[in-house]
Amino acid sequence: MKSLIAILEERISEAMRKAIGLADCPAMVMVSKNPAFGDYQANGVMAAAKQAKTNPRKLAEQVVETLEIEDLCEKPEVAGPGFINLRLKPAFLGNRLLGMFADDRRLGIDPAPRPQTVVVDYSGPNIAKEMHVGHLRSTIIGDTIARLLEFEGHTVIRQNHIGDWGTQFGKVILALWHICMAENLHKNEKSYYDIDLIKDFPDNQNLTAYFDQIIKRHQEDWLADSKDIKGDGELYFHPFLKEFSQRSETLWPALLKAYQYVNLLDESFKGMNRTIETRVKDGNNQFIYNTIPYESLTRHITVMLQHGGKDNKQERKAWEEVKKLTLDECNKIYKKLSIQLTDEHVRGESFYADKLAGVVEALKARGLAVESEGAMCVFPEGFVNKEGTPLPFIIQKSDGAYLYATTDLAALRYRIQDLKADRIIYVTDARQSLHFKMLFAVARAAGWADERIVLEHVTFGTMLGEDGRPFKTREGGTVKLKDLLEEAVEKARTVVEEKNAELGAEQKERIAAAVGIGAVKYADYSNNRDSDYIFSFAKMLAMDGNTAPYMQYACARIRSIERKAAGKGVDIERDLAGIEQLALGDPAEVDLAKKLIQYDQAIEAAAEQHRPNHLTSYLYDLAQAFSRFYNACPVLQAEADRRPTRLLLCDLTARVIGHGLGDLLGIESPPQM
RNA sequence: GUCCCCGUAGCGCAAUGGAUAGCGCGUUGGCCUCCGGAGCCAAAGGUUAGAGGUUCGAGUCCUCUCGGGGACGCCA
């Protein structure tokens, strides 16, 4: 069905054209906020009258005169300075409902007339790190944006821009190597890579001595892991990597620990002047052995990884295994959260690694990239720093390395040229807004994104704890997403136990998962994403108010009516099968019906501005309208001539809420709770 | 210093430039022999941080001030 707003817009706009003679007369139709003003209102007359220099009220009356709309509405009324108020005819309202009812898949909502190809970039976890609360908002907001646009009929390409290539990779590989050595050569040293041991060291002198031991051990292990030539890793590291994937479950926590250990060593060794021997290829392709500062070892390994080739196979293999391991962990969380991201959507930094030189070259060739203080920079127009001098967008560091700016440019180019994006949406927190502004400016200047391509940075605020400060553990650490979700489910479990103890264990578990996870997501979605928001289990799990459990309950209650029908001698299928017109009589029925046909508007508002709170607030209004109806109008006990209408209202309400929660927000609504 | 976001009822939050600024919690009062009371109805509670401006119309747009958060050359 064509959107009702669009129909009204067309009719009134046409009448305005006739009345006023202007070519472009937007009627500006919207749902009335106040029922006293009818169901829909047109606000366009005032602006048009201004333009045509006539009296707005008179013009409105003229428009109403010529307006042909009797098939939809009662006689329109002119109110205030020139509003046109419209009240739907019950017969038309009934037909709209029947149209929704008949369409299982789309509830009578037409897809967008001009579908676009939209890339949505969201989530973006980092390799060898656990997802934490900082990833939550990007992941779930991005996911619903993708779902909304897809439902509207656009071709959505999800992109998970994971951090899998930066300088941290040397650290990750080294971490793996430490795990390997701990297993093979230091089985009896319990705390080989225990960071707490370092953190808690009482005095500096002993700490230095301890670090010297670490280096000594490191050097000896490296030499020990040699078969054909020094440092080839053939004895231990290669076999370790070979069997790595079979052991992923146990290796994940070890990797996280070892990674932190390497990080801490890197930090700690700065300025200590310690060195370690390592190998590199010389000009004749022969290995030579050099000592390098210990703290630059991880960078050295990163370089080997990035060189690739035969000699650096162990680095490559280690990287692949860690990447796989991390993605497996992310996928578990995505699954738990009903996030529609899988490995096929992964296009991480490594994917663009071989395109970075080309990006810099192209920008140089266009004269956009210039050298400044040793680094290669673009100075997009309109950006100045604190001194008022042009602000650089650095695309290559003075040591030749590329940065995320370079990667983002390569990604943007790929998305437009290869993925054929008409529109790219980046979902990251607000702190990166300057970066994206500059990124877009450079892409425009380079001609990679012409003015038809829409580039959007969708931002969101910070998640705060109940104390109003950034969300942290009691000890001040970052909260792991896994733990947060587990706690939510745990809390939901006790609620389910309290309310419905007689359900089966397995069913209770499913409900707890749906309610707990749903609560976390819904709480985020129902807030305006620009504001910081206070994360509170108590609030999000509350049974009243605009929360997931309330919405899920509303759904369950309707399905409960359907379950009870047979017992009361009501055959729902038969009642609904022959329905040709509705008997909307009670005000509560009419209000609910009017709310139901506004579903398309809620989706449009949420999709257009990427604001899921428009959808949640609609769903909540709908649930409230249903509650009023439910209170006022018996369904199963209703007289035979009114019952089919009421059953249909029940069914449609359940379907709309189920669709909004399930298909668009990715929140399950269990049939019973 | 420049730029970005936020400031709305006691608290937590809404509000595509539209009419009388909404919702929840909390507070006060009312409703039920009834399909799941995890409900419904109502009341009280506001100078939308402040001052100007644009507009037929401003919580929303512009300028300034105050308060909170964030970003600003080789991290992502």
Side-chain angles (χ1 to χ4, degrees), chain A residues 470-486:
Chain A
F471 197 77
K472 292 274 165 67
T473 59
R474 209 162 297 145
E475 293 75 36
T478 49
V479 179
K480 294 177 197 162
L481 203 40
K482 203 165 122 193
D483 296 346
L484 181 93
L485 298 179
E486 254 161 40

Side-chain angles (χ1 to χ4, degrees), chain A residues 420-646:
Chain A
K420 310 288 178 206
D422 300 308
R423 184 175 178 189
I424 310 176
I425 298 168
Y426 296 83
V427 188
T428 80
D429 69 291
R431 285 177 310 202
Q432 297 188 42
S433 62
L434 180 61
H435 166 71
F436 281 106
K437 271 185 192 152
M438 295 181 79
L439 174 73
F440 297 164
V442 172
R444 301 272 190 217
W448 295 341
D450 66 42
E451 63 284 358
R452 286 168 309 195
I453 309 271
V454 180
L455 302 172
E456 287 168 289
H457 181 208
V458 172
T459 62
F460 48 83
T462 312
M463 242 171 84
L464 305 175
E466 297 198 53
D467 55 0
R469 314 222 328 259
F471 197 77
K472 292 274 165 67
T473 59
R474 209 162 297 145
E475 293 75 36
T478 49
V479 179
K480 294 177 197 162
L481 203 40
K482 203 165 122 193
D483 296 346
L484 181 93
L485 298 179
E486 254 161 40
E487 192 175 345
V489 174
E490 174 60 37
K491 290 200 153 66
R493 198 177 288 134
T494 57
V495 177
V496 174
E497 197 59 53
E498 252 169 55
K499 302 291 182 185
N500 227 337
E502 69 280 1
L503 293 172
E506 198 187 318
Q507 195 176 10
K508 275 191 276 197
E509 200 45 43
R510 269 212 309 276
I511 296 168
V515 171
I517 302 294
V520 170
K521 292 181 75 175
Y522 193 93
D524 201 314
Y525 288 150
S526 57
N527 274 282
N528 182 326
R529 58 176 166 72
D530 289 321
S531 347
D532 295 344
Y533 92 98
I534 294 180
F535 187 93
S536 156
F537 280 120
K539 289 231 161 80
M540 65 180 66
L541 283 164
M543 294 302 164
D544 4 74
N546 189 7
T547 66
Y550 175 90
M551 296 305 306
Q552 289 165 323
Y553 170 70
C555 231
R557 198 166 46 162
I558 300 171
R559 285 169 186 156
S560 155
I561 297 174
E562 290 164 356
R563 272 195 303 276
K564 293 252 161 74
K568 306 234 172 189
V570 175
D571 185 338
I572 296 182
E573 292 219 0
R574 206 189 51 207
D575 264 18
L576 289 179
I579 196 162
E580 273 171 18
Q581 67 181 45
L582 300 185
L584 295 167
D586 192 285
E589 292 174 315
V590 176
D591 286 348
L592 177 57
K594 285 176 179 169
K595 203 75 215 171
L596 281 166
I597 66 164
Q598 290 166 16
Y599 185 42
D600 58 348
Q601 280 306 299
I603 293 173
E604 198 187 304
E608 200 180 325
Q609 307 168 57
H610 318 308
R611 294 194 184 277
N613 64 311
H614 287 296
L615 179 58
T616 56
S617 107
Y618 166 82
L619 291 174
Y620 183 60
D621 285 351
L622 177 64
Q624 285 188 312
F626 180 81
S627 269
R628 284 188 283 272
F629 157 79
Y630 177 82
N631 230 40
C633 307
V635 176
L636 297 177
Q637 288 97 322
E639 304 92 78
D641 58 333
R642 313 203 68 166
R643 198 176 55 211
T645 295
R646 292 185 180 173

